[in-house]
Amino acid sequence: MEIVKLFDVIVVFSVLCVLGTVQVVGLNQFSQPCNFRAVYNFGDSNSDTGGALAAFQLPRPPFGENFFHRPVGRASDGRLMIDFIAEHLGLPYLSPYLDSIGTSFRHGANFAIGGTTIRPQNESISLNGVLPISLDVQVTQFDNFKVRTGYFYKQANRKSQRSNLPRPEDFPKALYMFDIGQNDIAAGLRKKNDTDFHLSVPDIVEQLAKAVQNLYDHRGRTFWIHNTGPIGCLPVSVHYHDIKPNELDKQGCLKAHNDYAKEFNRKLKDRVIKLRKELPHAAITYVDMYAAKYELIGNAKKQGFLGAAEICCGFHEDDIQVYCGQNETINVVQIYAGSCGNPSKYVSWDGVHYSEAANRWIANRIINGSYSDPPLLLKHACHRSSLV
């Protein structure tokens, strides 16, 4: 929250909520930064820090080449937005819940899995890449995680045995993040049935709301919920379709695809508003990821990037689609879909996911509250606004 002069302060009270760590403040109220001791994240490949790699995939260069210098399970050349958020909070990068090697859960865990959805899909990995760990499964994993780590924490006889386990008292002080929904929209687009998609959106949103309710019942108090980005602006969407000019908006994005995202986002925001009333001790921030990403796409060149439709890693020419890091034989010609020379100049890493440079640009703007409702700094997200 921006610092204001004393005479600009309208609301002058601060109430510590019973049963939680959330404070109720006015939008112009001074407030202390939150002391987030941990982050628990739920999502898809936009925030997966290695869960899908641990469970379903083999490491594949050139992913991770720019920062980690090896594949680490992130769908980018380097860090994701969640990594920049962790850095901003002074916390280590989140260990994937499914990764059993070299992990520490002292400061949280990442339950996100690339390719997953909010609502379970009757699809498969081999058919279209949808993984069987939807949001309800991720929340169940969290429930088990909390119980089991609590047990081992209490049973530990030495401090060293607890060093990689979360402190039970930190769960109410943690930040609970959601970045999921893009694959639900992609599933709707694949089925090419507008009516079915429109009918499904309320249920998709309600299932996300149930996940928040579950975490609240387990003493979660601060929630940071991203809406979904402009899926119609993903370069691979444009490359894959025979597009007529009137199907594109001013930024060269597929209008029909973005309309799906906008509908989901409208209903998600409405549900978040209701959740604030239903969960009186929770601070819930709705983050307009769509607007942040669309701003970058529309101003890519002004921000030092190449055109937003350019893809760094992959081969997408003449109706030939070879995804990042893959080898394909096309007309007896071997094609390796490698990366570009300078990923930091690209908004899109692989046609679907953003480059580290783009992730940093977006993260900086959501951290400062520019796209948040209420408009709070990330470090102030534990404070409930009395005006919301």
Side-chain angles (χ1 to χ4, degrees), residues 1-6 9 11 14 23 25-32 380 383:
M1 185 181 297
E2 298 292 336
I3 297 178
V4 296
K5 297 179 180 179
L6 283 174
V9 177
V11 183
S14 178
Q23 289 185 339
V25 297
L27 286 178
N28 293 322
Q29 174 76 14
F30 285 113
S31 58
Q32 293 296 318
H380 289 188
H383 301 290

Side-chain angles (χ1 to χ4, degrees), residues 45-46 63 75-76 182 234 347-355 359:
S45 58
N46 289 311
F63 287 90
S76 184
Q182 180 172 306
L234 298 179
V347 172
S348 179
W349 162 242
D350 61 359
V352 177
H353 306 99
Y354 290 75
S355 68
N359 284 326

